[in-house]
Amino acid sequence: MPGGQSGFQAKYAVARDALEKGQYDRAKRQYLTLIQEAGPLAQRLELEYAHAELRSGNYAQAANVAGSLARAQSGQARAAALAVQGTAQHELGLQLLAKGETAAGKQQLSAAQAALSDVLKTDTDLDPIGSMAGRLASIQVRLKSL
C-alpha cells in the first residue's frame, strides 16, 4: 500500500469519521481514493463506499456497487453486500412508487425482497435486532398491494 500502513489507516479514519458524521460527499471521495490503493481490502472499502451512497440518498448507485460486490463474493461478505443492495433497492422502489412509476418501483421492491430474503436465509447474524426482517415484511406487504 503506497504511503505506508499508517498513512492508509489515517486516510481510512478520515473516511470512516466523515461517514459517521454524515459528511457523505467527503466520505465518498475518501473511499474512492482509498479503494485505488487498498489491495486486498478494496472490496471492504467498496462496501463502505456503497453504504455512503445509500446514506446520502444515491440509492441507484448504492444498489449498483453493492450488487457488483455481492456477485463477486461469498459468505458473510456477500450477505453484507446484499443487505446494502436490498436496502438501497427498497428505498429506490419507494421513490419510484411515489413518482407514480409503478412498474419500475415494483421491480426494485421485488429485487430488494430477493436480496434481503437471501441475507436472512444465509446470515441471520447480520440482523441481530430484526430491522432487516422488518424491512422485508414491509416490502412484502407493499408488493401484495401493487
Side-chain angles (χ1 to χ4, degrees):
M1 287 180 223
Q5 183 72 11
S6 64
F8 183 86
Q9 288 175 333
K11 291 177 192 175
Y12 174 76
V14 169
R16 189 71 197 175
D17 186 59
L19 178 62
E20 293 303 321
K21 288 182 176 175
Q23 299 168 344
Y24 304 124
D25 288 338
R26 182 176 187 202
K28 290 186 286 188
R29 283 191 308 271
Q30 282 293 119
Y31 282 123
L32 287 173
T33 299
L34 284 168
I35 289 166
Q36 301 305 311
E37 57 188 77
L41 297 175
Q43 288 181 328
R44 173 66 192 166
L45 294 176
E46 286 179 51
L47 182 61
E48 291 190 34
Y49 168 75
H51 195 102
E53 290 287 7
L54 174 67
R55 284 185 166 184
S56 68
N58 295 324
Y59 304 127
Q61 178 66 7
N64 185 39
V65 171
S68 292
L69 285 169
R71 288 187 294 277
Q73 298 184 44
S74 60
Q76 191 171 45
R78 179 178 180 274
L82 284 173
V84 173
Q85 176 189 344
T87 300
Q89 288 171 317
H90 178 218
E91 296 298 334
L92 182 57
L94 294 177
Q95 278 185 340
L96 291 166
L97 291 174
K99 291 186 211 175
E101 298 179 33
T102 307
K106 185 175 181 180
Q107 181 181 16
Q108 290 298 321
L109 292 181
S110 294
Q113 179 181 16
L116 296 178
S117 293
D118 195 344
V119 173
L120 293 171
K121 197 180 328 173
T122 61
D123 201 329
T124 56
D125 290 345
L126 289 179
D127 193 28
I129 59 173
S131 60
M132 204 174 320
R135 183 180 288 271
L136 178 59
S138 172
I139 292 167
Q140 291 167 334
V141 166
R142 191 65 184 259
L143 281 170
K144 285 181 185 176
S145 72
L146 295 175

